[in-house]
Amino acid sequence: MESIVEQLSEEESLRLAAGSEVGRIGFTGRYGPIILPVNFRIVDGAVVFRTEADSALVEDLRTGIPDAEYRVAFEVDDIDKAERAGWSVMIQGPAHYLEEAEERAVAEAAGVDPWIGGDKETYISIRPALVTGRRIRRG
Amino acid sequence: MESIVEQLSEEESLRLAAGSEVGRIGFTGRYGPIILPVNFRIVDGAVVFRTEADSALVEDLRTGIPDAEYRVAFEVDDIDKAERAGWSVMIQGPAHYLEEAEERAVAEAAGVDPWIGGDKETYISIRPALVTGRRIRRG
């Protein structure tokens, strides 16, 4: 069977991403490119996830310069191996630490719930600058 | 239930990755970090995937300098949402174009089979420099 590749709109891409709870953050760390799975929610149009304050992830993503933010990629997909089909979405944007009381309260209320325990009290959001998505299906 | 996080050995990580056929390549493109799903095989200990010669991926990964190679990340996972468990593996290493007849023949014989059609005659390998993995399970 032929494969059909369809580009998804930004709206459709964000809708699909919002239905998932595991995505993958990609960025350039101290030792080169990194991809790490995280549990996330879409909150007010942005990806939000939690991590530990002293994690390598947090150290890598802190620029040390107020209001300067690293640009990262966030990928979500749903793949059906049997059908050799599925969709994937990539969200690119700056990684922002939720440190102000108001933005923090909104994220906390959304209930971002990591599968792994520990003191994950650092909230990071990725506000989409560019959203792309595609779907592969059998013709 | 408590979650238990287990670090996986390099050997176990590569064994798990070899059982998958979809992974995600991460690198810094012209417009910042990128994560893209690709079909792959582990061939002779290295990740091998195919792409089109004129793709944005290929342009981004060519340094233009002979024998100079971009470092990339490659991520494979298997996640059970119902159990909130699973494993993930990250392979970091240089992206190498398979252009010599011998290395190319080995990759072709391995039958890397993209789900999407098209003229995917460019073969890229990622020889692991660093392999890390972890498994999350319920206690």
Side-chain angles (χ1 to χ4, degrees):
Chain A
M1 264 187 302
E2 276 295 295
S3 62
I4 296 169
V5 182
E6 176 193 358
Q7 303 302 316
L8 303 176
S9 68
E10 180 174 334
E11 185 185 1
E12 173 74 351
S13 295
L14 285 175
R15 192 188 65 77
L16 288 168
S20 298
E21 54 184 315
V22 178
R24 300 155 197 94
I25 183 169
F27 59 96
T28 302
R30 278 162 290 184
Y31 308 110
I34 288 175
I35 304 177
L36 288 176
V38 294
N39 298 108
F40 78 103
R41 282 275 173 92
I42 300 283
V43 181
D44 193 21
V47 170
V48 174
F49 64 95
R50 293 165 59 173
T51 185
E52 293 177 45
D54 61 352
S55 66
L57 178 63
V58 165
E59 282 177 42
D60 275 342
L61 288 179
R62 281 209 189 269
T63 60
I65 302 164
D67 300 325
E69 296 173 335
Y70 276 116
R71 196 177 164 93
V72 302
F74 196 81
E75 193 262 2
V76 187
D77 61 41
D78 188 17
I79 291 163
D80 182 333
K81 289 173 192 168
E83 280 286 317
R84 297 166 66 89
W87 57 263
S88 70
V89 165
M90 181 169 59
I91 294 165
Q92 293 170 299
H96 170 66
Y97 287 83
L98 301 183
E99 289 177 331
E100 289 177 30
E102 193 179 342
E103 61 185 6
R104 172 75 184 230
V106 170
E108 286 179 359
V112 186
D113 183 19
W115 292 0
I116 304 173
D119 188 27
K120 295 191 185 298
E121 288 311 310
T122 299
Y123 282 69
I124 298 175
S125 79
I126 305 165
R127 173 74 49 192
L130 185 63
V131 179
T132 52
R134 61 181 188 169
R135 187 195 302 276
I136 304 169
R137 56 194 174 85
R138 298 294 117 193
Chain B
M1 265 188 302
E2 275 296 297
S3 62
I4 296 169
V5 182
E6 176 192 359
Q7 303 301 318
L8 302 175
S9 69
E10 180 172 335
E11 187 185 1
E12 173 75 349
S13 295
L14 285 174
R15 191 188 64 75
L16 288 168
S20 299
E21 54 183 315
V22 179
R24 298 156 198 95
I25 184 170
F27 58 96
T28 301
R30 278 163 290 183
Y31 307 111
I34 288 174
I35 305 177
L36 288 175
V38 294
N39 298 110
F40 78 103
R41 281 275 173 91
I42 300 283
V43 181
D44 193 21
V47 171
V48 174
F49 64 94
R50 292 165 61 174
T51 185
E52 292 178 44
D54 60 353
S55 66
L57 178 65
V58 164
E59 283 178 40
D60 274 342
L61 288 178
R62 281 208 190 270
T63 61
I65 302 164
D67 300 326
E69 296 173 335
Y70 276 116
R71 196 177 165 92
V72 302
F74 196 80
E75 192 262 2
V76 188
D77 60 42
D78 188 16
I79 290 163
D80 182 333
K81 288 173 193 169
E83 281 286 317
R84 297 167 65 90
W87 57 262
S88 70
V89 165
M90 180 170 60
I91 294 166
Q92 293 170 300
H96 170 65
Y97 287 83
L98 302 182
E99 289 176 331
E100 289 177 29
E102 194 179 340
E103 60 184 7
R104 171 77 183 228
V106 171
E108 285 179 359
V112 185
D113 184 16
W115 292 359
I116 304 175
D119 188 27
K120 295 191 184 297
E121 288 311 310
T122 299
Y123 282 68
I124 298 175
S125 80
I126 305 166
R127 174 73 51 194
L130 185 64
V131 179
T132 52
R134 61 181 188 168
R135 189 195 301 274
I136 303 170
R137 54 192 174 85
R138 298 293 115 192

